[in-house]
Amino acid sequence: MNNDTEETIQLTHGAGGQVMDRLIGDHVLTTFTKKQAGEIGLDQLDDGATIDLESGSTLVLTTDSHIVKPLFFPGGDIGRLAVCGTVNDLAVMGANPVALTSSLIIEEGFSTSTLDRVLGSMEKSSKEANVPIITGDTKVMARGDIDGLAINTAGLGVVEKPISDAGMEPGDKLVITGSIGDHGMALMQYREGLTFKTKLHSDMAPLNGLLELARESGEVTAMKDPTRGGLAAALNEMANKSGYGITIDEESVPIREAVSGVAELIGISPYEVANEGKAIITVKKESAADLVNALRTNPLGKNAAIIGEVNENRPGKVVMRTEVGGRRFLEAPLGDPVPRIC
Ligand code: MG
């Protein structure tokens, strides 16, 4: 029953920021009761959950729905996104992805040749990541009941030592595997038909190979993929959960010139929009340089950089040392400013 005072779901409830966090906290976590099958469960709100088997091994399970608009855009499409997004959620948990599912929800009247293009892209990305799609589901909704196509993928991985997004410790260095804002700004540029010197492309890519390199190269304490809400949302979540503070240096954060250009033009911060081929890694100070060097040997990590450190100065907060020498808080956005981004 609807009345004027009843709260309803808004787009920001799905935008990966503070508003979504409140929805999950007030509704999902208070309703679902049995939340753990291993060390990391629903309450931790990590990129996936762990399952401890009696045999002694640990699995990681994750799921992600994809509703990006438009379905095809520079640098990717919904099919590649559905594979990479889920592979990356497993990879940032420290897992080796083993298999994916593919659940398609299709609108009546959708072109089968377009569907073939999407499926072909999923297959290509699955080969690139070396993670097979082994089961799935297909549903069709009446015309107008859904906008074209939505894809849910779940992913299963195996892990020796799960890496949570809350594990960072004071003294750790904070590393980003490459430039930020590419996915969100590429989508905005394409959607808005903005002409700018450089055409932007989404950064979407499967990161499992790159992050395996990272795990081998040094003592990684936490990892997270800065998707919806961008670097700002992800860093705040990591600071909040760990109870430590993060300080980053604005000038060391890699941002492409074209990304800053579009960002300025439309008034959206590159720190607050989604990335689909980047990871934040915290690592023991001693192995930070080795980690960056290892990442840079892989094309997906060639612009990797140390951008800050973990400390006890402002627990739960992210402080940015600005290029002009000031300091300000980098706040988590209420939600990603770009809707239907992933
Ligand atoms: Mg994630």
Side-chain angles (χ1 to χ4, degrees), residues 47 89 92 224-225 227:
D47 298 286
D89 275 336
V92 293
K224 187 153 200 71
D225 52 342
T227 54

